[in-house]
Amino acid sequence: MLEMRIPSHQLRDLLKLYFIMGSQNTDKDPRFVLEEAIQGGITLFQFREKGEGAKTGGEKEELARSLMQLCRNHGIPFIVNDDIDLAIAIDADGVHVGQDDEDVAAVRERIGDKILGVSAHTLKEVEEAIEDGADYLGIGPIFPTGTKPDAKKPQGDTLIRAVRKEKIDIPIVGIGGITAENASFVIQSGADGISLISAISQAASPKESSKQLLERIMVPLAQNK
């Protein structure tokens, strides 16, 4: 459990390879997928049990607790998507909310110093999220994605570059359609990391996929420093 707001430099390191998954994102046991992804080098995990076929109630909490224990065993922070009540109940390390979820300032009030990530799609949303207490921003979709049916139109690296041009120094993770082939592009645009679902959750080997993704971003990350 965090006892103070996480420093930006530490969060930047954690955002490098940010894996997001719920049971609906894989045909395998999500525990197996997460364990493999951890072995492959992921640095942060978000539990996103949302959409068609997602678990609810006690089943959702049970899965969350088991995945969180896996993360705790390996020192990986565990973030809950949107469900603030669940995050508080299980003492998760943080939450991530979108523009259509609970008010960011209200979420910050509820979770105290835990990690707070916010999805942003415009400079105005970026500025408001920072003012309301966001620790990092999820910006995208960078590329087309089939994982989220309600995803907005892909915007490429336009917003990431705009944020950096404005000298806004908040940690940023890019999201949406990211693969090993295009991962370095996201980092070169100014992001501190990449977040993805299917490139790992649906991979034949989540471990090997995670390793490959991490390898692809290490050189541009070093160049950004």
Side-chain angles (χ1 to χ4, degrees), residues 106-155:
V107 173
R108 169 54 74 197
E109 183 71 24
R110 293 187 65 194
I111 68 170
D113 289 335
K114 291 178 183 292
I115 298 170
L116 175 54
V118 179
S119 297
H121 312 94
T122 66
L123 265 177
K124 182 181 178 183
E125 290 178 358
V126 166
E127 291 164 351
E128 289 175 347
I130 293 170
E131 186 177 336
D132 290 340
D135 290 308
Y136 75 87
L137 301 174
I139 291 182
I142 310 297
F143 305 105
T145 174
T147 305
K148 299 179 182 178
D150 58 347
K152 296 183 182 294
K153 183 180 178 181
Q155 56 178 279

Side-chain angles (χ1 to χ4, degrees), residues 158-221:
T158 304
L159 183 55
I160 295 176
R161 288 191 179 277
V163 171
R164 294 311 186 210
K165 186 177 180 182
E166 292 293 322
K167 305 298 182 185
I168 298 173
D169 199 34
I170 190 169
I172 291 174
V173 63
I175 190 168
I178 298 172
T179 64
E181 285 67 40
N182 59 35
S184 62
F185 169 84
V186 182
I187 304 301
Q188 288 162 355
S189 301
D192 298 292
I194 53 173
S195 53
L196 20 69
I197 300 176
S198 58
I200 295 177
S201 69
Q202 296 178 17
S205 171
K207 178 180 177 179
E208 290 306 314
S209 177
S210 299
K211 285 175 65 175
Q212 185 181 32
L213 285 157
L214 195 57
E215 287 168 1
R216 294 294 177 91
I217 63 173
M218 292 311 291
V219 170
L221 276 173

